[in-house]
């Protein structure tokens, strides 16, 4: 494994590029998460579109710079929409978020099929990854098998791809008390992948940016309600300097 | 009718049990209410799942400790999902929230069928109850007819079952200005029913807990927007002592 | 064109009528916008209902005072629901919000059909209007062709119908960073149209009321998260005097 190839300053540069580019992201996310994910994107200057209508997603994909697919509330219509969205991805980066595959065999099977379509970035929590990995616990091995940038979010997040493994220690515990905070992160990863040609760097930049904003919000919040508002405020006001000075990208010991 | 068999200290004990158990609640709620209901649950340490996909609900029910069913935005898919969820309930407590049955004959008929499946707790507002009760105004009579714990929420809430009738005077008027505050209460009732073997006590404990948090939020809020944030903060920070000292369970006069 | 026929005091009067009447508005809005639109309505004392189930919308229309139709997340079920809702409108005012017709030919065609049903008010942003107008850039000409009150929302909003053209300069830039703020405005227009017999005046009154609340919120907010809460608080606390003194209805130069 190679120690991190991306510095705090690189992340700040990616963030600056994101703010300048204002990419369009089409997100098929579960209905619980749609509003918060849209507001997170708007706070960062990203233009969200969210339809999960199978008849419309190809047109929206064409007008987007990056895509994100989330498996929550996965009815037949959403499965069809996701399939068509991925069919229409072309050169566009796309992020897969296999929400709750550990609770639903149907989702787990559908996610396995999507992994075969090679998502640019796969973002999961440990329980979801355990269900998808069928016993394989090595992140680099799974990233290699699936030929993707594999991101696992927990107290310290990890990003694995090819020979690289990065760890990011940003974030705040109140994030886990706000529904859709993980789903919205997937959308932010897609937006970074639209402006950074290296999807591994994009995933790290998204985790740092999101986590630094979470820490700023956590200092101002009294609980998960005020945290939500403070988090959107922090994303909106975030400066490249704050990203650079707040980044906690850990050295990985081989 | 018997005067209340549950004390403020009992409610605080149920609240402590809820916080310790962190139950999983599967909620099929209308799309307007999903996000707020999930955030209310997360603030209390409950793990929410929310899919209304008929193909998935049985798997999610299996992994849950309690269920809640809400009739908002009741399309054919949701009706099928609700039917299958109730089919999969087994020993798990489930709460029925017959949203807006007074506005839609289709919903009222569907709710009548669900009442025949004997929900553990039925939570309604007066207009919904009037539509369901077809002229019967006595809460204890309806609770007996339906063999359920019947809860009516208004300025002073009432809980009726068997020989018991309780009144709870907690809450804040701004709650009625926040969409989904009733729907989220149904989910909290389900969570209490997962940890308290007596569903009548669970309903009272949920009403008190929810109402005390609402009062705390109401003191901090300037309107329904800041109330929402303060309410989630209050649920998150709530202590058993605050529940015990804030509880207003009224004596029922026979 | 005629200079404005509605004064700041007229708008304050319409606002007072709205608060007194507490109209019921049925809104078929996209799933991203449902919660915020419902909370905006509740903050103003409007009673929202939101089902997009084709089997239910006629019953909900019957119980409503005004309707709003939004084309976001426009799947087959929603199209059917919208068609039935408009069929059931009768004498009730209805507002059309052609969300993202510029991104989806399917939506643009569907919107064209709805315009043929003559919405009371049509609210669009410039990109949506360009897609619908097929090259015609004159607002009064489009309003005449479609025989509707045509409202275009941007930094300075415009309202055109018959011989009238009004411009409203209220609002705050953070509104564009909150998802559904446009969709919720459509619902507020519907509510004003329920209490004001002149739909042109209703549209102006909605824009002023919404914009004045946005300005109050903008002064208190640190970003789009705190803005959302402050905006709902401002709508809730708004007085007719604040509306009258804050209104910025501009003279239109012929």
């Amino acid at each position: 494994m190679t120690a991190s190839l991306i510095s705090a300053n690189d992340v700040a540069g990616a963030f600056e590029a994101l703010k300048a580019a204002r990419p369009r992201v089409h997100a098929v996310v579960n209905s619980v998460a749609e509003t918060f994910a849209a507001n997170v994107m708007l706070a960062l200057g990203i233009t969200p579109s969210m339809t999960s209508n199978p008849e419309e997603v190809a047109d929206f994909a064409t007008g987007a710079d990056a895509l994100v697919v989330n498996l929550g509330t996965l009815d037949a219509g959403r499965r069809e929409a996701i399939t068509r969205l991925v069919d229409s991805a072309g050169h566009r980066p796309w992020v897969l978020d296999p929400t709750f595959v550990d609770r639903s065999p149907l989702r787990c099977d559908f996610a396995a099929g999507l992994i075969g379509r090679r998502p640019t970035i796969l973002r999961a929590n440990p329980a979801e990854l355990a269900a998808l990995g069928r016993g394989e616990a090595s992140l680099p091995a799974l990233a290699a098998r699936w030929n993707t940038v594999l991101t696992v979010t927990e107290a310290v997040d990890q990003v694995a791809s090819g020979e690289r493994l990065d760890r990011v220690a940003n974030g705040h515990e109140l994030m886990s008390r706000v529904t859709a905070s993980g789903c919205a992160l997937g959308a932010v990863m897609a937006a970074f992948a639209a402006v950074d040609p290296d999807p591994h760097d994009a995933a790290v930049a998204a985790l740092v940016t999101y986590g630094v904003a979470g820490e700023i919000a956590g200092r101002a919040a009294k609980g998960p309600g005020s945290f939500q508002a403070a988090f959107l405020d922090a994303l909106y006001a975030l400066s490249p300097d704050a990203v650079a000075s707040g980044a906690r990208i850990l050295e990985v010991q081989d």
Side-chain angles (χ1 to χ4, degrees), chain A:
Chain A
M1 288 299 110
T2 307
S4 183
L5 298 171
I6 184 168
S7 68
N9 281 335
D10 293 339
V11 168
F15 174 73
E16 217 162 358
L18 177 79
K19 297 284 280 188
R22 306 192 64 144
R24 290 176 166 193
V25 173
H26 190 79
V28 174
V29 303
N30 66 75
S31 55
V32 188
E34 285 179 336
T35 307
F36 187 69
N39 279 326
V40 162
M41 289 193 261
L42 288 169
L44 284 167
I46 302 161
T47 299
S49 59
M50 320 283 292
T51 187
S52 54
N53 176 10
E55 302 162 277
E56 296 183 313
V57 288
D59 286 321
F60 277 89
T62 302
D65 301 302
L67 314 172
V68 58
V69 156
N70 169 299
L71 304 190
T73 60
L74 189 70
D75 55 25
R78 254 169 222 275
R79 289 201 299 279
E80 179 65 21
I82 289 169
T83 301
R84 291 195 197 181
L85 190 71
V86 172
D87 287 346
S88 308
H91 64 284
R92 292 174 193 83
W94 65 284
V95 175
L96 173 61
D97 185 346
T99 312
F100 266 151
V101 285
D102 51 313
R103 294 280 291 277
S104 161
L106 179 143
R107 286 191 198 181
C108 204
D109 288 350
F110 187 70
L114 286 173
I115 290 173
R117 306 287 305 272
R118 210 180 92 57
T120 314
I121 299 172
L122 194 165
R123 189 205 75 81
N125 66 32
E128 292 157 355
L129 191 67
L132 291 171
R134 299 173 198 278
E136 172 62 74
S138 157
L139 238 59
L142 285 171
R145 185 200 293 173
W146 295 334
N147 193 18
T148 191
V149 175
L150 180 57
T151 304
V152 183
T153 48
E154 46 192 324
V156 174
D157 308 316
Q158 297 183 82
V159 181
S161 73
E163 295 297 303
R164 295 179 61 186
L165 180 63
D166 278 294
R167 300 171 73 209
V168 175
N170 291 108
H172 192 276
E173 59 177 2
L174 278 173
M175 278 181 168
S176 66
R177 298 293 188 119
V178 175
T179 195
S181 61
C183 306
L185 171 57
V188 174
M189 285 183 173
F192 271 101
V195 298
D196 191 320
D198 183 329
H200 186 113
D201 288 353
V204 172
L207 287 166
V208 168
T209 299
Y210 209 73
V212 168
E215 292 165 25
I216 294 169
R219 286 192 286 274
K222 294 176 190 165
S226 48
F227 180 84
Q228 267 187 74
F231 182 60
L232 294 172
D233 287 356
L235 286 171
Y236 177 74
L238 205 59
S239 67
D241 280 355
V243 171
S245 64
R248 289 192 282 164
I249 306 169
L250 306 183
E251 286 297 307
V252 176
Q253 309 295 332
D254 276 318

